[in-house]
Amino acid sequence: MLAEVVEKLKKTGLQAAPPAHCYAGPGDVACDVCTGRKRKAFKSCLVCLASYCETHLQPHYESPPFKKHKLVKATGNLQEKICSHHDKLLEVYCRTDKQCICLLCVMDEHRGHDTVSAAAERTEKQKQLGATQSKFQQRIQEREKELQDLRQAVQSLKCSAQTAVEDSERIFTELIHSIERKCSEVKELIRDQEKAEVRWAEGLLERLEQEIAELRRRDTELEQLSHTEDHIHFLQSCQSLCAPPGPGDLSSITVSSHVSLEAVSKSVSELKKRLEDVCKVELDKVSESVKEVHTVRTREHFLQDSCQLTLDPNTAYESLCLSEGNREVTRVREIQSYPDHPERFDYWDQVLCREGLSGRCYWEAEWSENGDYGVSIAVSYK
């Protein structure tokens, strides 16, 4: 068939050379009739199994036998449209085997199969494609909306995070300055007390030194008086020298053998510990608050915090069936033959797990077609 067409086209005579852009280049389908430098193919014929440029395609428009041929957009994979068994055009679709076949295949290995014309199947598929495309477009719109919302959430999160960072820095800076001020006040208080005590002690030192000097003077005079031989002078001086210290003299002074400010250091250490405890508790709350911030929460997030639980068969209600290993529970219509137990639920469809949980829990339930339900004992909790 191709040889006859080529021979007929050659008889049409030589044409003027086409512009350079009409020649086939890399990635183009070349005309099967052109000799020498081939031009781009304009159409492909499914009957001739050949591709033609606009010049060599003319017989398909002018010659009655060629007008019956099936023309398609130029393609280089024409052999894919031909049956490999019968070398005929694939124009029937087998719904049983879900493949394109030729007319001879219908009478041969595909006899009795659900077959329709390829054109009819395409029409049906186009309807399905249109419905699927509508779903895709709806899904695209939904996803674009989610994308926009997520971008806004991310932007809002960034702004909020920046504000939180700046506020945290400001508050912690103020807290540091406050602690530094309190530290300065404590140091100043200690120094003031030190100065007062030292000033008072130095006054006492001076008076003690004066009193000691006076007592030594009188002791010297008494020693001299005791050796005098002048009885009159002795009697006249003895009374004044033996008189006790006057009321202006210092009374007895009690001095601590070890003066220390360890109590101050201990108080500051206790304050430090209390501040650390308060900071730990409050910072844990801050950390939990930060972890609670999510722009989006998916099932994967919950699974990260999930844990497996084991059900307690001694508490299961009689219409609850536990799986092997007591990991899952399903509500059934048949009464289960559980032994009597004081902890078993006998009114509500309930069962307890052996492990204890606190906080917020998220359960997943799967419903069956007959209305029964099963719960997978894998929960996420905070």
Side-chain angles (χ1 to χ4, degrees), residues 317 319-321 329-333 349 368 370-375:
Y317 184 67
S319 63
L320 297 180
C321 179
V329 56
T330 304
R331 182 177 180 274
V332 295
R333 301 184 186 279
D349 296 3
S368 62
N370 60 4
D372 293 340
Y373 63 87
V375 177

Side-chain angles (χ1 to χ4, degrees), residues 90-357:
L90 300 175
E91 48 187 340
V92 178
Y93 183 78
C94 177
R95 290 176 174 172
T96 304
D97 295 333
K98 297 182 179 180
Q99 67 180 77
C100 293
I101 59 176
C102 69
L103 291 174
L104 293 181
C105 291
V106 177
M107 308 302 296
D108 194 359
E109 61 266 27
H110 293 272
R111 181 188 299 274
H113 289 188
D114 182 10
T115 59
V116 294
S117 68
E121 183 65 15
R122 172 172 176 163
T123 301
E124 183 64 25
K125 293 294 185 184
Q126 281 182 326
K127 292 179 182 178
Q128 298 177 5
L129 186 64
T132 303
Q133 190 175 9
S134 298
K135 292 180 180 179
F136 282 171
Q137 291 174 352
Q138 181 180 357
R139 186 67 177 273
I140 289 172
Q141 293 177 355
E142 293 174 353
R143 288 303 191 185
E144 286 179 343
K145 178 63 168 57
E146 293 173 355
L147 178 64
Q148 182 180 0
D149 293 343
L150 184 57
R151 282 175 175 169
Q152 292 177 351
V154 169
Q155 185 61 34
S156 175
L157 175 63
K158 289 181 178 180
C159 294
S160 179
Q162 182 61 29
T163 301
V165 168
E166 293 174 355
D167 289 345
S168 299
E169 288 181 347
R170 176 181 53 79
I171 293 171
F172 276 106
T173 300
E174 293 175 355
L175 178 60
I176 292 171
H177 290 166
S178 176
I179 293 176
E180 289 176 346
R181 286 194 301 270
K182 295 302 179 183
C183 179
S184 298
E185 291 176 4
V186 170
K187 290 194 294 185
E188 185 178 356
L189 180 63
I190 293 172
R191 293 304 182 189
D192 289 345
Q193 184 66 18
E194 177 191 17
K195 291 177 182 178
E197 290 296 321
V198 169
R199 186 167 52 249
W200 180 79
E202 287 177 347
L204 284 179
L205 286 172
E206 183 178 357
R207 293 173 63 186
L208 284 172
E209 289 174 350
Q210 291 176 356
E211 183 175 343
I212 291 171
E214 177 63 18
L215 291 174
R216 284 178 176 172
R217 182 187 65 78
R218 293 173 66 178
D219 180 64
T220 302
E221 291 181 355
L222 287 173
E223 180 67 22
Q224 293 174 354
L225 182 62
S226 66
H227 293 88
T228 184
E229 295 179 358
D230 186 347
H231 301 299
I232 302 302
H233 175 70
F234 178 85
L235 294 173
Q236 290 176 344
S237 301
C238 182
Q239 185 176 1
S240 62
L241 291 176
C242 292
D249 295 331
L250 290 174
S251 58
S252 177
I253 299 175
T254 302
V255 179
S256 175
S257 60
H258 180 69
V259 180
S260 173
L261 291 176
E262 289 183 0
V264 177
S265 300
K266 183 178 179 181
S267 298
V268 174
S269 296
E270 292 178 353
L271 175 61
K272 170 180 171 290
K273 186 177 183 305
R274 291 172 60 187
L275 284 175
E276 288 176 345
D277 292 341
V278 171
C279 287
K280 183 179 183 305
V281 173
E282 297 303 322
L283 287 178
D284 286 344
K285 293 180 181 179
V286 172
S287 178
E288 289 299 322
S289 299
V290 172
K291 291 179 181 178
E292 288 294 325
V293 177
H294 298 287
T295 54
V296 61
R297 191 72 173 171
T298 63
R299 187 172 183 270
E300 287 72 17
H301 284 95
F302 293 119
L303 291 179
Q304 291 176 1
D305 302 322
S306 66
C307 67
Q308 289 289 334
L309 300 180
T310 304
L311 298 173
D312 185 358
N314 293 329
T315 65
Y317 184 67
E318 59 184 7
S319 63
L320 297 180
C321 179
L322 304 186
S323 66
E324 184 178 356
N326 299 328
R327 293 291 191 182
E328 297 181 359
V329 56
T330 304
R331 182 177 180 274
V332 295
R333 301 184 186 279
E334 300 81 8
I335 301 301
Q336 304 298 303
S337 57
Y338 291 128
D340 292 337
H341 197 278
E343 296 182 359
R344 187 173 310 285
F345 289 102
D346 56 6
Y347 186 77
W348 295 106
D349 296 3
Q350 298 180 106
V351 61
L352 298 179
C353 60
R354 297 185 183 276
E355 297 81 3
L357 294 176

